[in-house]
Amino acid sequence: MSGSATLLGLSMLCYLLGAVSLGANLFLRRPWLLAAGRTFAVLAALLHGGAIGLRCVEVRHAPFTTPAESLSLLAWIVCLLYLGMEALWRLSAAGPFALGLSFLLVLIGAGLSGAGGPPGSQYAELLAERAISLHILATVAAIGAFALAFSCAALYLTQHHILKSKNGLAWVKRLPPLATVESAGFLLVAIGFPLLTLGILSGLVRAGEGGLPPGWQTDGKTLLAFVVWGVYAAYLVARLGLNWPPVRTAYILIAGLALSLLLFLVPSAAHQFAR
Amino acid sequence: MPLRVTGLSHNTAAPVEVRERLSFTTPRALDDALAVLRAALAPRGGECVLLSTCNRTELYVAAPEDPDREEMAALLLAARGIAPSEMGDWLPFLEDQAGCRAVEHLFRVTAGLESMVLGENDIVRQVKEAFAKAANAGTCGPTLNPLFHEALRVAKRARTEMNLSHGAFSIGHAAAQLAENIHGSLAGRTVLLLGAGAMSETTARHLAAAGANQVLVANRTYDRAVALAESLNGRAIHYDDFVKYLAVADIVIASTAAPHTVVHRPMVEAAMRERSRRRPLFLIDIAVPRDVDADVGEVGEVFLFNIDDLGAIVEEEAAERRRRAVKAEALIREEALAWSARMRAALVAAPLVRSVRAKHHAIVQEGLARLRAELPHLAEADWARIEAFATAIENRIAHDPTIKIKEYAERAAAAASAMPGGGAADDLEAKMRTAREIFGLEEGWESGQSAATTAATATPRRGE
């Protein structure tokens, strides 16, 4: 087993333990569970960062030539963004989702690589092009931000429902305040949306240089990217321009994540990296 | 020294009119009482702490000759300036506990398990203040000092590990917590009070304590609104204008005496249209009959809670605290037993440790006296160095036996507490006897030894 695989395995374990600790803390509200969850999250981020770095050294190119690698990168970005949310807003209630998602992404990636994904070295030359690297990095980071914006929307809707219906009020104080999750969700989209725009633009620049299979303009992934971009643009317009109530914009974020994951996973002839 | 506590509280048979007669509500009254108690206890080597809160007056006494129930009652009544002839009237109301039970009682009181509102925090401050007062008055000593520090430590442990102080303790507290769950930080939030009653004032104070620093008060009687606004550092508005301010308020506390509702759905819908839709409105209706139409709660981003909703939250929290208190009680009992065991151990070990140290000291002094006689030509500076060296050796030699004796005693006392009658006390007695034999501390050695030492040290020093 290579060094990067060992570190990745350890980070998976930390993701799982972190998700379980923070999930248990939601129910039991024990300070030590919260501390353990946060520690596992930091450890996972460090180990996973080490695994990705070591992988770069091992294969001598950026670590997203295979589906497993790009899933791993997405998992890492989700964890980093979650740690940022923790530092800014103490949003540990989003931890079970964020760390659980990271664990699942790495697990799925491990399954895909086990099933025989394409060897990374043959893409080294392609990845030397800045536009491609930027295209992938920006898009993956944007999807990571959208995933966490989804968790904020889910927390908002749950808290909103409890406060309106007055059922399960014991849960109210276990969840973050409405205003906090609403602001957090907005900030994540405000980060993710320009990144997605950058990803699409760099993809278009690369496509303009030629060399892509014919019909890339009508490729499923290309079209879906524009749909996702439109959904989040609609969210921003609804929130900033139309003064929609947060409970309505939260549903846009829920739909947005479903489309983002589809964007990530949909097969595409023009996007070899996600095969 | 044995510990005893006597006093009364809401948990005893004493009704409020009895409790208020025995309370020490002003700092002056407490100072005077401590002066009386010091005069009574200091000559006997006793210590005391007087705890007086709105619902509790208790006197903790540690004295070499354990005072009985009547003596304790007499001390407490004297401290309050009540004639001894009234003792018979008071005795049925006073509760008295001694030894380990008194220790456990202090730990329970400090942890808030004996409070009217289970787990409330204020009692910690009150115990700290009572202890500080006693320390300043010089009525605390080697027994009560560590005991009160231990009580504060145990209380902190119980509160932290069992989450005893979490949750809402009152309607106002519950409202403030809900406001934080809706708005996050309350800093800069605007609170609108409809009605200037006591309940709305209390709730507003809770919100202000949580950070809400802009308060508007509307009341039918404008002067009353002005008075309340001043006390809350807020602003009074005319009652008829309150609808205009719904658009700027983040939290509304409605508690008017109106016989019908005064806040209606169209009013709130209009207010919500004027403001950012991302700014929720928290309506707290604590009036009976209600001030806010029930269908106002159906407006998006408006969260309406009436007094029953808040009361249900308080009751739910209290039930949860009662469940946690059961675990805290077990923890406190365990801590009280451990503390009592340590105290008993100290009582058993202290005389033996003193004897061991005294014997070492006597031997050293005897040797030094002999040496002085043999070396009369040495200078005083040299003798000072020799004596310092001898004292260092004496302390070094006594150190390990001292630690071991204390360890044996603590272990045995802990075992005896955990399993009374399990033979731990006999075991400790045997160990202490063995230690006395090893160190040659048979009965009567002190008198013979001290006579010899006196004779030896009586040898005149050079130049004397």
Side-chain angles (χ1 to χ4, degrees):
Chain A
M1 189 183 267
S2 68
S4 63
T6 308
L7 286 179
L8 193 63
L10 287 172
S11 66
M12 264 178 81
L13 184 64
C14 288
Y15 283 135
L16 183 63
L17 292 173
V20 170
S21 304
L22 292 173
N25 179 55
L26 271 180
F27 289 91
L28 304 173
R29 294 168 72 205
R30 294 279 181 275
W32 67 270
L33 278 173
L34 182 61
R38 285 172 175 162
T39 308
F40 282 126
V42 171
L43 271 177
L46 291 173
L47 289 167
H48 201 161
I52 290 172
L54 212 56
R55 176 76 179 161
C56 287
V57 173
E58 283 167 6
V59 298
R60 294 173 184 278
H61 58 71
F64 35 67
T65 55
T66 67
E69 284 174 350
S70 48
L71 283 172
S72 164
L73 181 68
L74 176 59
W76 188 52
I77 287 171
V78 166
C79 181
L80 289 180
L81 285 170
Y82 163 68
L83 288 174
M85 284 165 69
E86 265 279 6
L88 273 177
W89 300 293
R90 300 269 157 206
L91 279 181
S92 56
F97 171 81
L99 299 181
L101 179 66
S102 293
F103 171 75
L104 275 178
L105 289 170
V106 180
L107 189 70
I108 293 168
L112 287 177
S113 63
S121 56
Q122 70 192 80
Y123 297 98
E125 204 172 307
L126 254 182
L127 286 166
E129 296 177 25
R130 279 186 192 161
I132 290 283
S133 289
L134 185 64
H135 172 65
I136 299 172
L137 261 178
T139 312
V140 169
I143 294 173
F146 296 152
L148 286 177
F150 162 87
S151 73
C152 290
L155 286 171
Y156 185 93
L157 291 174
T158 309
Q159 181 79 297
H160 189 276
H161 173 74
I162 293 171
L163 285 165
K164 275 285 189 188
S165 67
K166 293 167 196 162
N167 288 328
L169 279 169
W171 273 90
V172 164
K173 59 186 176 223
R174 300 174 194 208
L175 301 176
L178 283 177
T180 305
V181 277
E182 203 278 329
S183 302
F186 170 68
L187 189 64
L188 285 163
V189 176
I191 293 169
F193 185 73
L195 284 172
L196 182 63
T197 309
L198 188 65
I200 290 173
L201 285 176
S202 54
L204 288 173
V205 167
R206 174 62 187 85
E209 290 168 1
L212 290 184
W216 66 266
Q217 298 91 335
T218 52
D219 180 80
K221 198 181 276 283
T222 308
L223 293 177
L224 200 52
F226 285 107
V227 174
V228 171
W229 187 90
V231 167
Y232 285 100
Y235 166 83
L236 291 173
V237 169
R239 190 189 185 275
L240 297 175
L242 301 178
N243 193 22
W244 273 24
V247 73
R248 215 184 292 172
T249 53
Y251 285 112
I252 302 181
L253 296 183
I254 301 278
L257 180 71
L259 289 169
S260 298
L261 289 180
L262 200 60
L263 169 67
F264 201 79
L265 299 171
V266 74
S268 162
H271 294 82
Q272 295 160 334
F273 303 105
R275 194 160 56 198
Chain B
M1 280 192 288
L3 177 76
R4 194 172 270 271
V5 56
T6 196
L8 39 74
S9 70
H10 61 280
N11 286 332
T12 64
V16 66
E17 59 272 19
V18 173
R19 296 205 301 271
E20 66 194 12
R21 273 197 68 201
L22 203 58
S23 68
F24 300 81
T25 47
T26 63
R28 178 73 194 270
L30 203 55
D31 289 342
D32 292 346
L34 285 170
V36 171
L37 291 167
R38 189 177 55 227
L41 288 166
R44 298 151 57 182
E47 306 168 22
C48 73
V49 172
L50 183 57
L51 174 66
S52 180
T53 71
C54 50
N55 273 316
R56 175 180 307 280
T57 300
E58 283 174 348
L59 174 65
Y60 293 84
V61 170
E65 293 162 9
D66 192 12
D68 62 16
R69 187 164 182 260
E70 278 75 20
E71 279 179 88
M72 288 291 289
L75 278 170
L76 185 56
L77 296 182
R80 190 68 190 89
I82 296 171
S85 56
E86 290 186 41
M87 170 90 86
D89 300 337
W90 285 91
L91 274 178
F93 296 119
L94 294 174
E95 271 200 1
D96 182 81
Q97 300 192 71
C100 186
R101 282 184 177 278
V103 173
E104 188 181 344
H105 178 77
L106 173 63
F107 289 2
R108 287 176 60 90
V109 166
T110 315
L113 293 180
E114 295 285 333
S115 296
M116 191 173 259
V117 179
L118 186 67
E120 55 96 10
N121 270 319
D122 214 28
I123 187 68
V124 177
R125 179 187 57 77
Q126 290 163 329
V127 170
K128 274 184 187 167
E129 279 177 9
F131 176 44
K133 278 261 178 202
N136 286 339
T139 64
C140 262
T143 303
L144 292 186
N145 263 331
L147 176 65
F148 272 76
H149 281 297
E150 183 71 357
L152 292 166
R153 185 195 66 79
V154 171
K156 188 176 179 187
R157 188 183 161 203
R159 283 168 190 276
T160 310
E161 290 183 17
M162 307 300 167
N163 275 344
L164 264 187
S165 303
H166 283 220
F169 292 93
S170 63
I171 297 286
H173 200 179
Q177 286 192 350
L178 276 173
E180 284 181 314
N181 283 116
I182 292 168
H183 292 293
S185 166
L186 297 188
R189 302 286 175 187
T190 302
V191 181
L192 170 61
L193 270 67
L194 291 182
M199 275 287 273
S200 61
E201 181 180 349
T202 309
T203 309
R205 287 196 190 283
H206 275 287
L207 291 167
N213 49 8
Q214 295 180 41
V215 181
L216 302 170
V217 185
N219 195 52
R220 285 227 178 264
T221 313
Y222 186 70
D223 291 346
R224 173 76 187 117
V226 171
L228 182 56
E230 275 175 9
S231 76
L232 294 168
N233 285 328
R235 183 159 64 90
I237 58 170
H238 288 284
Y239 184 79
D240 295 336
D241 293 341
F242 87 80
V243 180
K244 281 194 290 188
Y245 289 93
L246 283 177
V248 298
D250 296 294
I251 301 157
V252 176
I253 304 168
S255 71
T256 73
H260 48 75
T261 57
V262 294
V263 180
H264 311 293
R265 185 171 177 155
M267 277 180 199
V268 175
E269 281 175 336
M272 294 307 283
R273 274 195 296 273
E274 279 183 45
R275 57 202 274 153
S276 162
R277 299 283 282 278
R278 288 192 305 281
R279 245 181 85 197
L281 176 62
F282 179 30
L283 277 166
I284 306 162
D285 184 1
I286 47 180
V288 180
R290 285 177 294 172
D291 278 344
V292 185
D293 282 338
D295 62 353
V296 167
E298 292 165 19
V299 178
E301 306 311 309
V302 173
F303 300 93
L304 170 63
F305 281 75
N306 64 33
I307 191 136
D308 281 356
D309 300 328
L310 295 171
I313 293 172
V314 174
E315 182 43 45
E316 200 172 310
E317 302 272 8
E320 179 58 32
R321 269 199 304 279
R322 282 195 290 274
R323 277 194 289 277
R324 290 193 291 252
V326 174
K327 290 180 189 168
E329 281 172 354
L331 182 149
I332 280 174
R333 192 164 304 125
E334 195 180 288
E335 290 274 11
L337 282 172
W339 173 264
S340 302
R342 283 203 295 277
M343 289 302 101
R344 271 203 299 279
L347 279 176
V348 172
L352 183 54
V353 168
R354 269 200 304 275
S355 297
V356 169
R357 286 192 162 270
K359 178 152 190 178
H360 286 157
H361 185 68
I363 291 168
V364 168
Q365 291 306 314
E366 189 187 335
L368 283 172
R370 205 171 294 145
L371 205 57
R372 270 184 182 277
E374 288 169 12
L375 302 168
H377 58 280
L378 287 183
E380 272 311 308
D382 294 331
W383 278 117
R385 287 172 70 181
I386 289 170
E387 280 174 3
F389 179 66
T391 306
I393 290 176
E394 178 192 326
N395 287 336
R396 187 74 189 270
I397 289 171
H399 180 261
D400 286 345
T402 303
I403 299 293
K404 267 292 173 242
I405 289 166
K406 284 182 178 168
E407 273 179 16
Y408 281 150
E410 277 181 23
R411 239 179 282 155
S417 300
M419 206 166 55
D426 295 344
D427 183 41
L428 176 63
E429 187 56 39
K431 280 197 167 103
M432 295 294 118
R433 205 167 38 242
T434 307
R436 293 187 86 85
E437 283 168 16
I438 288 170
F439 288 105
L441 301 172
E442 295 81 13
E443 291 289 326
W445 77 268
E446 286 96 342
S447 50
Q449 197 66 34
S450 55
T453 307
T454 311
T457 50
T459 311
R461 289 184 177 189
R462 182 175 170 251
E464 282 177 349

